[in-house]
Amino acid sequence: MSDRLHAVSRGALLWLGSRKNAQLVISRVPLTRRVARRFVAGDRAEDATEAIRRLNAQGVDGVLNLLGEGVTTSADADAAAAEYADAIAVAAGQVRTSITLKPSQLGLLFDAAGCAARLRQVAVQAAAAGLGLEVDMEQSSHVAATIETFLSAGLDPLPRLAIQACLHRSPSDLETLIGAGVRTRLVKGAYLEGPGVAIQQTGAISRRYGELSTLLLERGADPAFATHDSTLIDHVVREARRLGRDKGDFEFQMLYGIRRDLQVELARAGFRVRAYVPFGPAWYPYLVRRLAERPANLRFFARALVGK
Ligand SMILES: Cc1cc2nc3c(=O)[nH]c(=O)nc-3n(C[C@H](O)[C@H](O)[C@H](O)COP(=O)(O)OP(=O)(O)OC[C@H]3O[C@@H](n4cnc5c(N)ncnc54)[C@H](O)[C@@H]3O)c2cc1C
């Protein structure tokens, strides 16, 4: 599929993902629920922990994620923080995993100070349980507030923060984060963004990802390269060798249900590999982003819409 057609179908899917009406219709279709199970471990933290246990047996660590985003009330943000506390208690001592969350899940969109307080609370609980913490990066309109809240929340140790290669601002953000000693997770970017804020062509995004990964291998602390793109994974391996980095100096991350073969292959080759394992009933926006990454999935969505 051409770059242009891919961009159009990706845009159509992500737009559908943001429409509440479409969500109500599509998420009830049994086929949608079945497809979601490929990418989502289940409704409960126990389901995710069980999935991570299976990954651990193959040499792959986990990144546990409670699905949810765009929370609009303090009560819902508190509930998300409480669910994270429960998930940490379920996973602690059972599996090799870290925890990752979305700032908008903890109230970033309406109360940055409250979000920072909840983030501190989850960070303390994760550290007490011996689990690492990571923070996802959401749409471009949330990026400035995310970085500001992250850096000013008084978190110790600092969690790892995701950075999206597609955004024009990311090289500058990465410099700031490297300067502050922040560990980062480099991703291409999963959201629908306009040309004013993000690179539009997939080839150019990959080139930018390659450049930023080299920068992170040169100067970043314990970077994570989150991609299933074999060309970029090869680039990271080559650049790490050229720069004299050990396999233990960085890690690869992939998503639950995607390129499992590659996850295990890299782990067997001695690389650190982590799989992002989401759970919870709020799976619809996550599923749409996963489907939008593959143009072939547009057909699936069309079928779901007409109820077939
Ligand atoms: C661990 C992890 C954490 C992430 N965190 C964030 C975040 O915080 N913020 C954010 O914006 N984005 C995040 N993402 C998503 C990321 O931005 C990309 O949208 C996603 O990883 C797809 O890009 P890619 O680099 O894998 O390359 P692509 O070029 O999209 O994919 C390369 C190959 O991987 C396979 N593949 C990729 N996606 C799929 C899929 N959905 N279904 C089936 N096969 C697939 C295909 O074989 C494809 O050819 C994260 C991704 C990972 C792996």
Side-chain angles (χ1 to χ4, degrees):
M1 186 180 274
S2 73
D3 237 31
R4 190 170 154 64
L5 204 52
H6 180 187
V8 171
S9 62
R10 178 169 182 265
L13 275 174
L14 290 173
W15 179 81
L16 264 181
S18 68
R19 311 307 296 175
K20 279 272 175 273
N21 291 349
Q23 167 162 352
L24 284 175
V25 175
I26 295 170
S27 60
R28 288 206 189 110
V29 175
L31 176 64
T32 318
R33 296 185 152 269
R34 278 203 303 279
V35 173
R37 286 310 295 257
R38 173 183 164 190
F39 301 106
V40 175
D43 276 353
R44 303 167 317 137
E46 285 80 359
D47 300 325
T49 302
E50 203 38 53
I52 294 173
R53 199 189 306 281
R54 290 194 295 272
L55 289 162
N56 285 177
Q58 296 185 294
V60 175
D61 286 8
V63 195
L64 186 70
N65 173 252
L66 165 67
L67 291 163
E69 54 198 84
V71 160
T72 53
T73 67
S74 298
D76 285 346
D78 287 341
E83 279 195 69
Y84 268 107
D86 291 346
I88 287 167
V90 169
Q94 298 298 313
V95 286
R96 296 193 313 273
T97 193
S98 57
I99 307 286
T100 192
L101 48 79
K102 290 188 167 41
S104 78
Q105 199 171 16
L106 298 187
L108 182 76
L109 304 190
F110 61 92
D111 174 15
C115 172
R118 293 181 193 98
L119 190 53
R120 271 194 301 278
Q121 182 187 320
V122 177
V124 167
Q125 288 156 348
L131 306 179
L133 185 64
E134 307 204 2
V135 174
D136 291 359
M137 191 59 82
E138 304 174 78
Q139 45 270 63
S140 61
S141 51
H142 306 355
V143 172
T146 294
I147 294 177
E148 201 181 309
T149 303
F150 181 95
L151 290 176
S152 63
L155 303 166
D156 184 21
L158 273 173
R160 179 180 266 144
L161 179 62
I163 281 288
Q164 298 153 332
C166 69
L167 296 186
H168 299 318
R169 58 175 291 158
S170 289
S172 153
D173 287 339
L174 210 48
E175 286 296 343
T176 306
L177 295 171
I178 289 173
V182 175
R183 296 174 306 130
T184 53
R185 171 206 305 160
L186 185 62
V187 302
K188 284 186 182 170
Y191 297 86
L192 186 61
E193 306 285 2
V197 291
I199 306 171
Q200 303 293 304
Q201 303 79 13
T202 54
I205 295 171
S206 296
R207 275 196 297 284
R208 169 62 66 74
Y209 191 108
E211 288 156 17
L212 296 183
S213 60
T214 297
L215 176 73
L216 281 170
L217 285 166
E218 281 167 351
R219 296 196 281 121
D222 189 20
F225 302 103
T227 180
H228 315 89
D229 187 329
S230 302
T231 307
L232 288 172
I233 290 170
D234 288 347
H235 169 86
V236 168
V237 171
R238 258 195 330 273
E239 286 293 82
R241 203 175 298 137
R242 180 178 72 79
L243 294 161
R245 294 273 172 254
D246 284 342
K247 286 177 178 169
D249 290 342
F250 59 94
E251 69 181 34
F252 289 113
Q253 295 190 351
M254 293 184 215
L255 299 172
Y256 177 73
I258 301 180
R259 299 301 312 268
R260 295 172 218 220
D261 52 338
L262 188 56
Q263 296 177 20
V264 175
E265 190 186 310
L266 287 166
R268 287 205 179 123
F271 292 102
R272 287 159 55 203
V273 184
R274 216 175 258 287
Y276 183 112
V277 181
F279 75 94
W283 45 263
Y284 180 80
Y286 180 84
L287 175 67
V288 171
R289 288 196 290 275
R290 299 297 72 85
L291 295 179
E293 280 151 9
R294 298 203 78 194
N297 291 326
L298 189 58
R299 204 176 329 121
F300 158 78
F301 245 71
R303 280 171 58 201
L305 265 180
V306 295
K308 296 242 172 95

